[in-house]
Amino acid sequence: MDLAWVRQHVRQTAAEIGFGLVEQTKLITAASELARNTLIHGGGGQVESVVLDHGRARGLRLTFTDEGPGIADVEQALTDGYTSGGGLGLGLGGARRLVHEFSIDTRPGGGTTVTVVCWTAGPPRPREEAR
């Protein structure tokens, strides 16, 4: 994975599907933090990008996967100020605040997968079930 490529790809894709400049910047920042974590803490990995189309709501799902050591304490890792790498400790928690949807799947010794989703006009509303 190449950090510059991730930033460029996310910027271009977000612009193509209608994200405004502020939303693009948030998503690029989150993607940059997650890609950096994948490279530094996960020893490298991959990113998958999928455009989502739910009627009038369009979005971008990014999935970052590595086969590194995993995260022993996810809640601690999401806490502002916590760092395992000497940085500012804003990576995971900051990324979570910048997107509409955030999930993390990790286990010690088993790698980590972080998935984020941003929507152009906020998350789509769930459909009401027919009665």
Side-chain angles (χ1 to χ4, degrees):
M1 176 184 330
D2 176 83
L3 192 55
W5 180 87
V6 169
R7 284 190 199 119
Q8 182 178 9
H9 172 76
V10 171
R11 179 185 315 275
Q12 181 177 350
T13 305
E16 287 173 2
I17 63 174
F19 280 86
L21 187 57
V22 171
E23 291 80 14
Q24 288 178 40
T25 302
K26 288 179 180 181
L27 186 54
I28 293 162
T29 301
S32 181
E33 292 294 329
L34 296 172
R36 186 176 293 116
N37 282 354
T38 300
L39 290 168
I40 294 172
H41 302 294
Q46 58 187 9
V47 61
E48 177 186 35
S49 170
V50 176
V51 174
L52 305 173
D53 194 349
H54 290 282
R56 293 184 0 206
R58 298 194 75 201
L60 184 60
R61 179 176 59 221
L62 302 170
T63 303
F64 297 84
T65 305
D66 68 58
E67 295 182 16
I71 302 171
D73 186 339
V74 173
E75 286 306 313
Q76 183 181 34
L78 288 168
T79 302
D80 286 346
Y82 174 77
T83 178
S84 63
L88 295 175
L90 298 175
L92 284 176
R96 180 172 62 175
R97 284 191 304 277
L98 292 170
V99 298
H100 293 113
E101 300 172 26
F102 180 96
S103 67
I104 185 165
D105 179 24
T106 186
R107 55 198 169 283
T112 301
T113 298
V114 178
T115 302
V116 296
V117 178
C118 266
W119 298 97
T120 56
R125 294 183 179 176
R127 293 183 177 174
E128 291 186 26
E129 293 183 28
R131 295 181 188 214

